[in-house]
Amino acid sequence: MAEILVIEDDKAIQNLMKISLREEGYGIKGVSTARAGIDYAATGVVDLIILDLGLPDMDGINVVHAIRAYSENLPIIVVSARSDEAEKIKCLDAGVNDYVQKPFSTAELMARIRAALRHSAHTEQASRFENGALTIDYAARSVYLSGTEIHLTNYEYKVLCVLAQNVGKTLTHNFIISKVWGTGGNDAAGLRVFMAGIRRKIEKDPYTQEFIRTDVWVGYRMNKL
Ligand code: CA
C-alpha cells in the first residue's frame, strides 16, 4: 500500500488526515515543517505528498520546487486555506498534481489521492498511451485515432505528449510551454495555435473538447476517457 507524507503544521488537521488515511490502509508519516518534509521525501520511501502551503519555516511552494528538482513524478497534492487563483496557478506551474481548498471533506481528499496515485502508476509504465479512441505509440512516434494514423507536426506531437503524460490534470500554459519549447520559448497565444491544429486533427468536432479541454485563463487538460 502507498506511503503518504503529510506536511502540515496544524496538529488537529494532521491528526485527522492520519486517522482517515490509516483507515484507508495507507502508510502515513506526518511532519510539521517544510524542512522535515523535504528531508523525509528525500529518503525515497514516499509515494505521495500532501502539502499545506502555510508552513512555519518556509512557504510550501518551496517544498514543491525542492522535490521537483529531483522527482518529476512524485505526486504532490496541495491543501490550502488560500482561495487565491494566482496561488493555485503558481502551484500548478511548479508541477503539483492537484490543489484542494480547505475546508475539504475526507471523501474528496481520498478521491484526489486515488486519482494522483493512479496517474503516477500510469506514467511509470507507458511505451504506449491509450485514451478512448486515441493511441500514442511513443516508440514509433505515431498517433492513431480509432486505429487510423494521424499526422501531427513535431510541435503538435510534443504538446499532445505533454497532455497525455498528465491526463486528467490541468496544465498551465507556462508548464506546457516550458516542457515543449523551454521556458519563454512561446506564449499562450502561440500555444493556442498549436492546440487548434491538434484539435482539428483529433477532435470529431473541434468545439466538443472531447479529448482536450480548455480551462479558461489557466491552461489545458486532456480528459481521461
Ligand atoms: Ca498551516
Side-chain angles (χ1 to χ4, degrees):
M1 202 59 177
E3 268 308 301
I4 298 180
L5 171 64
V6 176
I7 309 176
E8 167 66 79
D9 62 320
D10 184 324
K11 281 286 178 199
I13 295 177
Q14 194 193 110
N15 284 331
L16 186 68
M17 282 188 188
K18 280 185 184 167
I19 291 163
S20 35
L21 290 165
R22 277 199 191 107
E23 269 174 12
E24 296 290 315
Y26 295 115
I28 300 299
K29 169 76 177 176
V31 298
S32 305
T33 63
R35 175 46 57 200
I38 291 166
D39 288 349
Y40 192 79
T43 60
V45 301
V46 176
D47 298 306
L48 181 143
I49 295 173
I50 298 174
L51 174 68
D52 174 35
L53 285 186
L55 293 166
D57 53 338
M58 59 173 106
D59 196 300
I61 195 85
N62 295 319
V63 177
V64 179
H65 291 307
I67 287 162
R68 281 290 170 263
Y70 65 85
S71 171
E72 276 203 34
N73 293 326
L74 181 60
I76 302 174
I77 298 177
V78 162
V79 291
S80 179
R82 307 173 196 172
S83 63
D84 182 352
E85 193 71 7
E87 185 73 51
K88 182 176 170 182
I89 291 173
K90 209 165 92 181
C91 286
L92 292 169
D93 270 344
V96 310
N97 296 63
D98 211 341
Y99 188 99
V100 185
Q101 205 182 309
K102 291 178 183 175
F104 52 83
S105 73
T106 306
E108 184 186 358
L109 181 64
M110 294 304 152
R112 307 281 190 113
I113 290 170
R114 284 192 299 272
L117 288 172
R118 265 201 308 276
H119 169 252
S120 78
H122 183 87
T123 46
E124 273 165 26
Q125 44 155 334
S127 63
R128 198 178 176 84
F129 169 85
E130 288 184 24
N131 187 24
L134 180 71
T135 302
I136 304 174
D137 182 336
Y138 294 120
R141 233 173 174 283
S142 300
V143 178
Y144 302 88
L145 201 59
S146 305
T148 304
E149 187 166 4
I150 305 293
H151 295 282
L152 297 181
T153 67
N154 183 37
Y155 283 124
E156 287 171 351
Y157 176 78
K158 287 186 178 175
V159 170
L160 186 69
C161 287
V162 171
L163 291 166
Q165 280 150 11
N166 296 282
V167 63
K169 179 175 154 188
T170 296
L171 304 177
T172 62
H173 301 126
N174 286 341
F175 182 88
I176 299 170
I177 289 164
S178 71
K179 292 286 177 198
V180 174
W181 287 274
T183 307
N186 205 337
D187 57 21
L191 178 59
R192 196 179 310 129
V193 173
F194 286 93
M195 213 54 88
I198 296 169
R199 280 175 164 150
R200 266 199 303 279
K201 293 173 185 179
I202 69 168
E203 300 279 17
K204 275 191 236 80
D205 165 0
Y207 297 99
T208 56
Q209 304 195 353
E210 183 191 5
F211 287 108
I212 301 172
R213 212 190 92 168
T214 299
D215 266 349
V216 181
W217 305 119
V218 179
Y220 299 95
R221 184 180 81 191
M222 182 181 284
N223 293 320
K224 180 87 194 87
L225 299 174

